[in-house]
Amino acid sequence: MKIFICLVIFAFASVAHADNIDKDAEIRSLTNDAADPEGNFQYAYETSNGIQVQALGNPAGVSGSVNYISPEGERIALSYTADEEGYHPIGEHLPTPPPVPAYILRALEYIRSHPPTQIQEQKK
């Protein structure tokens, strides 16, 4: 349930902080299936200014998506899952790490293929 609350806050915060939000936007559609006794839930909504949010989950995890137009006019599409291993967002707008340099890959392969031997204890 904590994951769900954090994701809902994230969804609202990611959309609500923009300066160009249509403050007169209205909800066009809303579906909310509150949590059942087993903890399964589902919700979705769409607003007149193009915000679309949906999520579904159970005690094992949550998956969903958030779509909106950024202040720069770019369509932001974020999908995510959240489970016991953490939050896993996917979106074209998210930064990606640079590729690992070839010399690092070679060093890692060398270490993998040449495991360290046991070091004998020094005599005292």
Side-chain angles (χ1 to χ4, degrees):
M1 195 58 154
K2 290 179 187 177
I3 292 173
F4 170 70
I5 292 170
C6 291
L7 292 174
V8 170
I9 291 170
F10 169 76
F12 286 115
S14 65
V15 176
H17 81 283
D19 291 335
N20 67 341
I21 289 181
D22 177 5
K23 292 175 179 45
D24 297 321
E26 297 177 357
I27 295 176
R28 288 188 175 164
S29 66
L30 171 64
T31 304
N32 185 18
D33 297 334
D36 62 19
E38 289 80 39
N40 302 305
F41 71 91
Q42 181 174 345
Y43 70 88
Y45 65 87
E46 181 177 354
T47 64
S48 60
N49 60 351
I51 298 169
Q52 299 171 331
V53 177
Q54 61 183 11
L56 60 97
N58 57 44
V62 178
S63 64
S65 65
V66 177
N67 296 288
Y68 63 96
I69 305 296
S70 75
E72 296 77 28
E74 177 185 0
R75 170 143 303 278
I76 303 296
L78 174 74
S79 60
Y80 61 86
T81 58
D83 54 26
E84 66 276 355
E85 294 185 19
Y87 176 68
H88 312 282
I90 299 171
E92 293 292 321
H93 65 290
L94 297 175
T96 56
V100 178
Y103 67 91
I104 297 292
L105 293 174
R106 286 192 306 271
L108 291 171
E109 177 57 29
Y110 179 85
I111 292 168
R112 187 193 64 73
S113 62
H114 296 86
T117 58
Q118 288 289 77
I119 299 174
Q120 296 178 357
E121 285 189 42
Q122 294 179 344
K123 293 182 181 180
K124 294 183 181 182

